[in-house]
Amino acid sequence: MEIHKGHTWSGLAWCRTAPVAAEMIVGRDVTGRLVEIIEHVISAPCEGVLVEPVGGGRAGVLVLAGSSGRVDTERCRVLARAGLTALSIRWFGGDGQAPGICEIPLETFVAVIDLLRGTVRGRIGALGLSKGAEAALLLAVHDPRVDAVIALSPTSVVWANVGPGVDGVRHPYRSSWTWQGEPVPFVPYDDSWTPADPEGEPVSLRPLYEQSRRTFADAAGAAVIPIERSAAQLVLVAGGDDLMWPSLTFARELAARCASAGRPATLVTSSDAGHRPRLPGEGPADPSDRFRYGGTVEADAALGAAAWPQVVAALVGDPGVSG
C-alpha cells in the first residue's frame, strides 16, 4: 500500500540553485510497519530519483539497474523504507548520453557519489543488478569512498558494449566503460555463437557469455575486475539457474579474489533462482519475450529475501550480521 501526500520542495544540501520536486509517500516496510518517505525527482547530473526516509537516511546507496539503464524507483523506495537514502540514475539512453552501454564513463557514478556524500553523513554503498553490478564493482575499485557493494547477478570480468556509443556505432566491439578517458579492458563477444533456442522464442544468452570467455581467454584475463583492490564490504547475490550469464560462477570468482586479499565477501545464493532476484517489497520482474532469465517468481523472491538482512547490514555497517 502507498499513500501519496502531495508535493513539497526539496531541502537537499546539494541542491541550492533550483528547487527539486518532491513527494511524500506513506507505505509499509518489510515488517508491515507504516513508513513515511520523501521522493525527490532530480535532473542533474543525470535524470534520476532520490528517495529518503523522513528525517534522513542512516546511509546512502547508489542504485543501478541492469541493461535497461532505467531509473529504479521501486528499489529505491524499498531501501528508503529500510532507513536508507537511495539514489538511482539513468546512466545511458538519456539526453547527452550514449544510447547503448558503450564506453560509459565511470566518472558518471563518481559524480553521484559526490551527491550522496553531500546528502548523508553515514556510509555510502552501491547496489547494482547485472550490468549495474559490473559498474558498481568497478566504481568501488576506483572510488575509495564506496564503503559497500551489493552485486546482484554480477560478473567477474568486464564485457564489451551492449548497443551503440555516442557515435551510433555498435561494431567493432568496444568496452562498456571508460576511466579517465581510457577504455577499461574487456571481453568481446564471439560472433560465431548461435542460440540453441527455437527461432521466435526468448533466448538464453548464458552460452554466449561462456563461449566468448573461452574464445577470448587472453582478453578475459586482462578484463578481470580487481575487486580485491577495494576495501568495500561486498555482498554477492546470485542464482544457480541464471540463464542470462553465469552469475554464480562469477560471484564465486569475485569472492575468491576478496578472500585472497584477506577480506571475505558474503555470498548468498540458491540453485533455483534466476538472473533477477527481487528484494522484499518488490513485485515480480516484468516478463520478457526476448530473453530467458531463468528462475521463477517464487525462487527469485526467496533469494532476495534471504539476501535482505545481509544487504541492509552491509549498507549501514552493522557488524552483527555476516555471511
Side-chain angles (χ1 to χ4, degrees):
M1 178 187 71
E2 293 182 352
I3 304 171
H4 296 254
K5 298 179 65 176
H7 296 269
T8 181
W9 293 104
S10 171
L12 295 175
W14 48 265
C15 184
R16 300 185 184 277
T17 59
V20 177
E23 188 168 23
M24 181 85 75
I25 302 172
V26 180
R28 297 190 184 275
D29 66 9
V30 296
T31 69
R33 180 174 60 97
L34 284 173
V35 179
E36 290 184 334
I37 58 176
I38 304 174
E39 188 170 301
H40 310 266
V41 177
I42 64 172
S43 58
C46 307
E47 171 193 351
V49 64
L50 184 145
V51 190
E52 60 181 343
V54 171
R58 295 180 286 169
V61 54
L62 167 61
V63 178
L64 299 174
S67 57
S68 69
R70 72 181 186 280
V71 176
D72 201 337
T73 302
E74 181 184 26
R75 185 153 285 169
C76 285
R77 290 174 178 174
V78 166
L79 292 163
R81 290 185 182 117
L84 298 155
T85 295
L87 174 57
S88 182
I89 62 166
R90 178 174 295 282
W91 47 275
F92 77 95
D95 290 342
Q97 297 177 327
I101 307 174
C102 183
E103 297 189 330
I104 305 298
L106 292 170
E107 288 86 352
T108 303
F109 310 116
V110 172
V112 181
I113 298 298
D114 292 341
L115 294 188
L116 284 171
R117 278 291 178 202
T119 304
V120 298
R121 295 183 178 180
R123 284 161 63 93
I124 299 295
L127 184 154
L129 168 70
S130 190
K131 290 296 287 187
E134 188 177 327
L137 291 162
L138 288 169
L139 176 63
V141 170
H142 292 288
D143 192 334
R145 299 174 300 168
V146 177
D147 298 301
V149 174
I150 313 300
L152 310 178
S153 303
T155 174
S156 59
V157 297
V158 173
W159 291 94
N161 57 297
V162 180
V166 292
D167 55 4
V169 176
R170 296 173 179 266
H171 205 271
Y173 292 121
R174 291 173 282 179
S175 182
S176 291
W177 320 102
T178 65
W179 175 248
Q180 297 180 344
E182 295 296 323
V184 178
F186 67 96
V187 185
Y189 305 113
D190 186 343
D191 288 333
S192 71
W193 176 80
T194 56
D197 304 278
E199 186 174 352
E201 294 294 321
V203 174
S204 168
L205 294 184
R206 176 170 177 155
L208 167 63
Y209 284 98
E210 292 171 331
Q211 178 174 316
S212 297
R213 197 178 186 193
R214 290 192 300 269
T215 301
F216 301 105
D218 290 344
V224 166
I225 298 173
I227 192 59
E228 71 278 4
R229 297 181 190 172
S230 171
Q233 189 173 349
L234 180 60
V235 176
L236 303 156
V237 183
D241 192 41
D242 189 337
L243 298 183
M244 177 55 66
W245 61 20
S247 61
L248 181 53
T249 298
F250 292 148
R252 286 172 172 157
E253 291 170 356
L254 290 163
R257 295 186 75 88
C258 286
S260 70
R263 291 191 297 273
T266 297
L267 172 59
V268 185
T269 184
S270 69
S271 60
D272 54 354
H275 189 69
R276 301 184 290 178
R278 305 298 289 170
L279 300 179
E282 296 179 334
D286 294 333
S288 173
D289 59 2
R290 294 184 60 198
F291 301 116
R292 295 173 60 203
Y293 291 102
T296 64
V297 169
E298 296 78 14
D300 295 348
L303 178 56
W308 179 245
Q310 316 290 346
V311 168
V312 176
L315 291 173
V316 302
D318 182 359
V321 179
S322 61

